[in-house]
Amino acid sequence: MRSRPTYCCKRATQPPPLDGIVSDTIWADTESMGSAFHLIGGAGRSAHFLEAAALWDDDVFYVSYVSDPSPVPVTKKDRDDDLFNECAVEIFLRAGNGYYEIEVNPLGVVLDLYFPNVEEEDWREMAKYDVPGLQWIVKSMDDRGRWCTQIAIPWAGVPEVSRAEYEGNPCVFGNFARSQTLPDGSYDLTTWSPAEKAFCELDKMGCIILSS
C-alpha cells in the first residue's frame, strides 16, 4: 500500500492570477504533484493526463489543475449538479471528522460541499453549503483539448479545516482527485492520496505542508 503523500505548498508572495494560464506565470514554477497521481485502490496510473499544483497565503488556498479532455460528453451546467458522474477535478480538505469538497467540471460548473461527518450520505444536503468567496476559472489550453481550472479557496470559507504541524511548518490534510466516466460506463478515478474506495477517506488524506 502506498504511504500518505506530502506536498510542499509554497507561500505565494502575491495572489497568482486566475486566468487559466500556466506557462509564464507563477504556476509554471510551482511544484506539480502529477507524478503522484494513480487510480484509486492502487490500480496503476490513469491513461488520462492529470497534474495539479497548489499555493497559499494567509487568506487563500490556491489550486491549479491541468487535465486531458473528457472522453464522454460533459453536460452538467448547474451549480451543485452531480459533476462526478461525468468529469470533474476535485479537492478535499479534512475538517475534523468530516471534510470540505470542491469539484469543477470542464464547463466551469462548481459543486461545493461540506460534510460535518464523513459518515453523512446525503450529498445533496451537504451541497447546500456554498464556500463563501470561492473563485474559479476554466480555460481550454491547446489543440489536444486539455483544460485548466484554477481555484481560490478562502480559508475563511472553510473555517473547520483541520490544522497541524509538520517539521515546524503548519499543515492541512487533503486529497486532489479527478472523477472521469469512460465511454464503456466504467470510471477512471484518479487520486493523489492512497485512497482505497473513496477520495474522502480521512485516514488516507495527504499532508499539505504550508511552507514559508
Side-chain angles (χ1 to χ4, degrees), residues 58-72:
D58 289 339
D59 299 316
V60 180
F61 182 56
Y62 306 95
V63 181
S64 178
Y65 276 103
V66 176
S67 174
D68 263 352
S70 174
V72 299

Side-chain angles (χ1 to χ4, degrees), residues 113-125:
L113 314 96
Y114 170 48
F115 288 76
N117 190 297
V118 72
E119 301 298 328
E120 296 281 359
E121 296 183 353
D122 187 351
W123 72 266
R124 291 194 182 277
E125 185 68 22

Side-chain angles (χ1 to χ4, degrees), residues 27-43:
W27 290 115
D29 298 321
T30 302
E31 180 184 354
S32 169
M33 60 191 78
S35 62
F37 282 115
H38 64 285
L39 294 172
I40 200 166

Side-chain angles (χ1 to χ4, degrees), residues 44 91 181:
I91 304 160
T181 299

Side-chain angles (χ1 to χ4, degrees), residues 178-201:
R178 180 185 60 206
S179 292
Q180 177 63 69
T181 299
L182 300 177
D184 64 2
S186 64
Y187 285 91
D188 181 297
L189 302 176
T190 306
T191 176
W192 176 64
S193 80
E196 291 294 319
K197 296 181 179 179
F199 295 147
C200 60
E201 294 169 9

